[in-house]
């Protein structure tokens, strides 16, 4: 039987998938800045799914990112590339949202989408294995 933490983690994982799908739609429709924003939120929400399982959450994005890096990257649970993905996508998303005249190309948006897809898949695999292990 699932507990509240697992249910929240799975809910957030589903929300990350929805954001990833939105990113692809935006990318396909040449809305590159918005696609990057959705890619970032797919990564961020997938990271928050991990935090839900740990019973953790933070009010600021930096807190979520820091916890993910400290708990899941430094321990070797996830490859260090995922630390780069979340940090770089966060910075790019900030630039697309707040910097005047910040230009992004299709290639930029596509790269962020592929990173988000990879991040999401890695979190899916980990969460499903961990939930199965904790609920035999």
């Amino acid at each position: 039987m699932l507990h509240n933490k697992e249910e929240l983690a799975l809910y957030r994982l589903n929300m990350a998938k929805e954001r990833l799908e939105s990113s692809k739609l935006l990318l396909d429709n040449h809305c590159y800045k918005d696609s990057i924003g959705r890619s970032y939120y797919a990564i961020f929400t997938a990271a928050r799914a991990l935090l839900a399982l740990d019973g953790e959450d933070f009010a600021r994005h930096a807190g979520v990112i820091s916890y993910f890096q400290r708990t899941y990257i430094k321990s070797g649970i996830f490859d260090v590339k995922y630390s780069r993905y979340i940090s770089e996508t966060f910075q790019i998303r900030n630039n697309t949202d707040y910097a005047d005249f910040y230009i992004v190309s299709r290639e930029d948006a596509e790269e962020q989408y592929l990173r988000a897809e990879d991040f999401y898949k890695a979190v899916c695999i980990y969460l499903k294995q961990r939930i199965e292990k904790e609920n035999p």
Side-chain angles (χ1 to χ4, degrees):
M1 179 176 172
L2 292 180
H3 304 293
N4 287 339
K5 287 194 273 187
E6 287 113 357
E7 289 172 2
L8 180 57
L10 293 173
Y11 173 79
R12 287 181 178 169
L13 196 58
N14 189 53
M15 294 303 300
K17 180 181 180 187
E18 187 176 303
R19 290 172 176 150
L20 186 62
E21 291 167 350
S22 295
S23 174
K24 181 70 168 125
L25 288 170
L26 290 162
L27 177 64
D28 290 345
N29 286 285
H30 312 287
C31 300
Y32 304 134
K33 287 183 179 184
D34 289 335
S35 175
I36 286 174
R38 291 294 89 190
S39 291
Y40 167 70
Y41 277 105
I43 291 172
F44 177 74
T45 307
R48 287 188 70 225
L50 296 168
L51 273 65
L53 208 54
D54 295 341
E56 295 288 342
D57 206 4
F58 298 89
R60 303 192 63 184
H61 289 235
V64 171
I65 294 168
S66 176
Y67 181 87
F68 170 75
Q69 292 171 332
R70 187 174 58 254
T71 305
Y72 291 95
I73 300 298
K74 286 187 179 180
S75 66
I77 294 172
F78 285 92
D79 188 279
V80 71
K81 73 179 180 179
Y82 297 110
S83 176
R84 284 194 319 274
Y85 287 5
I86 196 169
S87 296
E88 290 174 8
T89 304
F90 175 64
Q91 186 58 51
I92 294 167
R93 194 274 312 185
N94 280 341
N95 288 337
T96 63
D97 283 354
Y98 304 113
D100 291 328
F101 308 110
Y102 187 80
I103 305 298
V104 297
S105 66
R106 175 174 180 79
E107 291 77 22
D108 296 331
E110 195 167 68
E111 178 182 19
Q112 297 313 310
Y113 170 77
L114 293 172
R115 286 179 170 196
E117 184 178 48
D118 185 21
F119 192 99
Y120 169 77
K121 287 177 180 177
V123 170
C124 280
I125 291 166
Y126 173 79
L127 278 180
K128 289 177 183 179
Q129 290 174 347
R130 184 167 160 192
I131 289 171
E132 286 173 7
K133 184 179 178 183
E134 293 176 2
N135 297 288

